[in-house]
């Protein structure tokens, strides 16, 4: 038993170290604080850590991540990020010694994490995590007592961690041990950073010199500076820590690995080393819900919610909100690491059979009363992939759908990189993690070699199960990305064309892969013939799970008028990539090629020839994908009909019960989504009014300038007489004025038709224009008022 004097001495030393940590804001002070922390932990035994983790540890968390303490309680509630965080200081100072020292302190093999494990073994300390820092959907559930009581059953992340507040009574709070508490703050750090930075406005200007450089540089294969950017990201201290924790606590390697925690989690029985399994599940669940789910208005599978009688009203609360910005890079590392388990499974004899309903394959992340059994089912397939399928799909899709036109483009570029890397898990190699793995020591590098094949970099038949299990990523998500490409084509046609080309290149990279994607689309709409030898009939057993995934993964998602692309009335029920309908993939890609060619010609520049060559390569790839020319020969009736159909796809939404005619404007300016510089409701009204005027004046019909105008003439009667009298003179002058007005109007309308001009009132919806008109009106009223007074 610890004496009272010694306990008081421990408390005093913990307070002194907390003060040292709190004052550490320079590299030298941070190094000294790290030494003080490690020295204390080395000199004391685990049963003497209570005061350190009660006083010093919350302060240490705030200083490491740059959180501002809002209270002195052990919960270490925070307001926001400050630039004084040790991780940020290490990044700004570019001090390798400082980064290495902080990494050593927080390393899974360091004394701090070892002390945390020992403290949790004795159950010395327990923390309450602030409710306001939890994922958004969880915060809303905790506001209702009924939802709070079912939350621990719905989401295993909060199993045995959600308890009633002893002070407030009916309210619930999340109670965590030291390891869980630290990981919650570690995972929350990039979320808090993304929220504090907010949406960075990027004004889109139509300039030949304007390029989405940040976007292009972060997309694989789109920039020559790719390797330099990757090295910068790989050297990031937070990224190194993330990878270290994944390697230490989330096993994906072979069962023959030497370290117990690196043995395949998929081979564990739940009676053996249960804490290791639970720690891995906890970390994966935490990363999924803080990063991928967070503000999703449909956070859990629909069937799961129905089984508990829970209906989330999050759509009206969260709305069409994109995921937190800045998460693409860390999520990419997380997903790539988990997909190493897919590589391990393709090397073995046991593979995941996804013929059953996907609700049985959601793993411990989502399943409830039978979460343990559900995990067992997934683990028998040797893959973490089924844990992240739904949340990752919705994470990518919500980014594409709800990315603001004039918002930060960095987030969309990072998520695009995440998606294309997910489409090619067979390209993951040891070099992907070489820089990050070097920080863990030479003894751990051999583990990657056991997981990652050294020669396999292309699609083979062993990946068929993976593609079938993630088929929506290869079909439905491609369709949504085509809409995204149409929406942002005007920002930078060069980059958008390269992005579309990158996706199509992946789909056509292997004939076997392309045939598999096509055959699944075929059997999705057909019925089995009864012959078990047919390859198509063999794929029929996968269609029920794909159909259920389609309805579940896209639950509640819809495109709005602000999308500016196309409308799917039954978009969450069918696959459209190989559909030959008006809103099928071939027609939309055909329209994209036509628009891209026009946009590239319009911006011109020195790279015009190179850009057109890239577009030609895209046409070739599309011909390979669809098995025929993507564009019909010109000057044929089919071309006119095709143009009419694709124009119908992109026409503005209906006004009332009457569909408006197509409004074509140069640069397609009138069809672009509402920007931050416009008054939304006024812009919509003016667009519809412009469409009505163009229809009334006949400007919606294209008239060739070569057509000879038909001149009208007046045949005077033979009994014409001279004009006399003032009344008749006024009538003649008035009729002449009206006649000249009609002639001028007709000439003006004819001129607008020949040159493709249309009435455009949308410019009046600009906030600047409205402010100017209001100022003029106010000045006029004040002038009249002063004149009356004078």
């Amino acid at each position: 038993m610890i004496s009272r004097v010694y306990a008081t001495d421990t408390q005093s030393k913990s307070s002194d170290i907390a003060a040292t940590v709190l004052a550490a804001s320079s590299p030298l002070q941070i190094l000294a604080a790290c030494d003080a922390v490690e020295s204390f932990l080395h000199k004391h035994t685990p049963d003497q850590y209570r005061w350190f983790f009660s006083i010093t540890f919350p302060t240490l968390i705030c200083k490491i991540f740059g959180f501002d303490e809002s209270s002195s309680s052990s919960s270490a509630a925070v307001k926001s990020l400050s630039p004084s965080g040790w991780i940020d200081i290490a990044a700004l100072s570019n001090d390798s010694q400082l980064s290495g020292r902080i990494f050593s302190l927080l390393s899974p093999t360091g004394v701090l994490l070892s002390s945390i494990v020992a403290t949790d073994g004795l159950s010395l300390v327990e923390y309450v995590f602030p409710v306001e820092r939890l994922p958004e959907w969880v915060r809303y559930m905790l506001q209702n007592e009924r939802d709070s009581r079912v939350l621990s059953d719905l989401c295993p992340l909060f199993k045995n961690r959600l308890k009633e507040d002893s002070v407030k009574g009916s309210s619930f709070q999340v109670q965590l041990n030291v390891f869980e508490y630290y990981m919650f703050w570690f995972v929350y750090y990039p979320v808090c950073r993304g929220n504090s930075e907010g949406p960075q406005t990027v004004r889109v200007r139509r300039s030949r010199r304007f390029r989405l450089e940040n976007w292009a540089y972060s997309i694989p294969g789109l920039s020559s500076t790719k390797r330099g950017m990757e090295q910068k990201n790989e050297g990031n201290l937070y990224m190194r820590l993330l990878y270290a924790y994944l390697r230490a606590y989330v096993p994906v390697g072979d069962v023959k690995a030497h370290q117990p925690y690196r043995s395949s989690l998929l081979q564990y029985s739940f009676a053996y080393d249960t804490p290791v399994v639970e720690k891995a599940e906890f970390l994966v669940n935490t990363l999924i819900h803080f990063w991928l789910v967070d503000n999703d208005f449909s956070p859990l599978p629909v069937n799961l919610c129905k089984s508990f009688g829970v209906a989330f009203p999050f759509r009206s609360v969260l709305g069409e909100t994109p995921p937190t910005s800045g998460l693409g890079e860390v999520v990419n590392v997380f997903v790539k690491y988990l997909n190493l388990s897919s590589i391990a499974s393709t090397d073995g004899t046991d593979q995941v059979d996804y013929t059953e309903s996907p609700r049985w394959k959601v793993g411990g992340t989502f399943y409830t009363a039978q979460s343990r059994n559900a995990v067992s089912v997934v683990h028998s397939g040797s893959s973490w992939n089924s844990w992240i399928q739904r949340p990752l799909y919705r994470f990518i899709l919500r980014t594409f759908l709800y990315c603001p036109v004039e918002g930060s483009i960095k987030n969309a570029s990072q998520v695009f990189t995440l998606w294309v890397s997910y489409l090619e898990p067979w390209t993951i190699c040891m070099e992907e993690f070489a820089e990050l793995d070097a920080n863990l020591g030479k003894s751990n590098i051999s583990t990657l070699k056991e997981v990652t094949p050294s020669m396999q970099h292309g699609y083979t038949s062993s990946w068929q199960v993976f593609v079938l299990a993630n088929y929506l990523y290869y079909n439905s998500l491609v369709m949504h990305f085509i809409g995204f490409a149409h929406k942002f084509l005007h920002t930078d046609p060069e980059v958008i064309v390269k992005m579309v080309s990158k996706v199509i290149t992946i789909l056509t990279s292997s004939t076997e892969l392309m045939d598999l994607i096509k055959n699944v689309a075929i059997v999705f709409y057909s019925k089995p013939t009864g012959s078990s030898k047919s390859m198509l009939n063999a794929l029929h057993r996968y269609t029920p799970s794909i159909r259920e995934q389609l309805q579940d993964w896209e639950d509640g998602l819809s495109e709005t008028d602000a999308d500016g692309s196309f409308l799917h009335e039954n978009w969450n029920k069918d696959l459209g990539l190989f559909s030959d309908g008006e809103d099928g993939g071939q027609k939309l890609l055909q329209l994209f090629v036509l628009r891209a060619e026009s946009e590239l010609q319009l911006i011109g520049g020195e790279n015009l020839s190179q850009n057109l060559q890239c577009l030609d390569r895209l046409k070739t790839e599309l011909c390979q994908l669809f098995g025929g020319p993507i564009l019909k020969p010109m000057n044929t009736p089919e071309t006119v009909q095709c143009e009419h159909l694709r124009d119908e796809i992109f026409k503005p939404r209906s006004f009332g019960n009457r569909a408006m005619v197509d409004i074509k404007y140069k640069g397609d300016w009138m069809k672009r989504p509402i920007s931050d510089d416009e008054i939304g409701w006024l812009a919509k009204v003016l667009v519809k009014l412009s469409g009505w005027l163009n229809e009334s004046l006949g400007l919606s019909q294209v008239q060739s300038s070569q057509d000879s105008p038909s001149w009208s003439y007046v045949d005077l009667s033979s009994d014409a007489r001279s004009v006399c009298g003032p009344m008749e003179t006024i009538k003649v002058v008035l009729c002449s004025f009206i006649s000249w007005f009609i002639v001028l109007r007709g000439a003006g309308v004819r001129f607008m038709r020949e040159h493709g001009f249309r009435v455009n009132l949308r410019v009046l919806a600009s906030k600047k224009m409205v402010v100017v008109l209001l100022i003029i009106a106010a000045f006029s009223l004040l002038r009249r008022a002063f004149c009356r007074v004078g």
Side-chain angles (χ1 to χ4, degrees), residues 261-313:
Y261 64 83
R262 297 194 190 282
S263 300
S264 176
L265 171 67
L266 317 177
Q267 306 294 335
Y268 274 127
S269 67
F270 291 107
Y272 173 72
D273 211 355
T274 302
V276 176
V277 181
E278 292 179 347
K279 187 172 292 186
E281 294 176 359
F282 164 78
L283 184 55
V284 172
N285 278 325
T286 303
L287 293 168
I288 288 175
H289 283 282
F290 272 89
W291 289 354
L292 300 181
V293 182
D294 190 17
N295 57 355
D296 191 351
F297 50 80
S298 179
L300 303 177
V302 177
N303 289 331
L304 176 62
C305 298
K306 289 182 178 179
S307 64
F308 280 87
V310 177
F312 295 128

Side-chain angles (χ1 to χ4, degrees), residues 716-731:
L716 297 177
S717 60
S718 58
D719 59 344
R721 52 192 179 88
S722 60
V723 179
C724 58
M727 294 300 297
E728 293 186 2
T729 302
I730 294 175
K731 290 181 179 180

Side-chain angles (χ1 to χ4, degrees), residues 478-595:
V478 176
M479 287 295 295
H480 295 300
F481 175 71
I482 296 173
F484 171 85
H486 274 288
K487 176 180 177 180
F488 283 91
L489 181 61
H490 67 282
T491 59
D492 195 312
E494 299 177 21
V495 174
I496 298 297
V497 169
K498 291 179 181 179
M499 293 175 71
V500 175
S501 179
K502 177 65 177 179
V503 175
I504 302 302
T505 300
I506 293 175
L507 299 181
T508 58
S509 60
S510 168
T511 303
E512 190 176 358
L513 172 63
M514 184 170 59
D515 292 341
L516 176 63
I517 297 174
K518 285 184 178 181
N519 290 334
V520 173
I522 293 174
V523 302
F524 189 83
Y525 297 103
S526 62
K527 295 182 179 180
T529 59
S531 174
S532 59
K533 297 182 180 180
S534 173
M535 180 185 65
L536 294 180
N537 284 331
L539 295 175
H540 269 288
R541 58 179 182 154
Y542 294 95
T543 57
S545 63
I546 294 175
R547 196 178 302 275
E548 187 172 346
Q549 284 177 343
L550 188 61
Q551 296 178 357
D552 180 35
W553 293 3
E554 299 190 4
D555 174 55
L557 293 167
S558 63
E559 298 181 27
T560 64
D561 293 348
D563 190 315
S565 55
F566 48 89
L567 177 66
H568 291 279
E569 294 180 355
N570 298 311
W571 78 322
N572 63 335
K573 298 179 181 179
D574 301 314
L575 302 174
L577 180 58
F578 297 99
S579 172
D580 56 358
E582 297 179 2
D583 57 352
Q586 185 170 358
K587 293 290 179 64
L588 293 175
L589 286 169
Q590 175 184 343
L591 177 58
F592 174 82
V593 170
L594 294 174
R595 289 188 61 202

Side-chain angles (χ1 to χ4, degrees), residues 363-435:
T365 304
F366 299 121
Y367 210 59
T368 55
Q370 300 178 359
S371 61
R372 280 281 165 236
N373 295 333
V375 173
S376 178
V377 172
V378 175
H379 289 171
S380 65
S382 302
S383 177
W384 283 105
N385 181 259
S386 54
W387 289 56
I388 61 175
Q389 286 177 320
R390 185 185 193 271
L392 180 62
Y393 183 89
R394 291 183 64 85
F395 178 84
I396 298 173
L397 180 53
R398 289 189 298 125
T399 301
F400 288 158
L401 286 183
Y402 305 140
C403 180
V405 175
E406 292 193 354
S408 175
I409 57 178
K410 183 179 180 181
N411 186 44
S413 68
Q414 293 175 350
V415 174
F416 176 81
T417 304
L418 166 66
W419 176 42
V420 296
S421 64
Y422 187 83
L423 292 177
E424 296 182 295
W426 44 85
T427 62
I428 300 178
C429 57
M430 187 173 60
E431 288 75 13
E432 296 268 356
F433 302 97
E435 186 73 18

Side-chain angles (χ1 to χ4, degrees), residues 176-192:
L176 308 170
N177 61 29
V178 184
F179 176 81
E180 296 167 348
Y181 183 72
Y182 170 73
M183 284 301 171
F184 262 49
W185 284 119
F186 176 81
V187 174
Y188 177 70
Y189 168 72
V191 178
C192 185

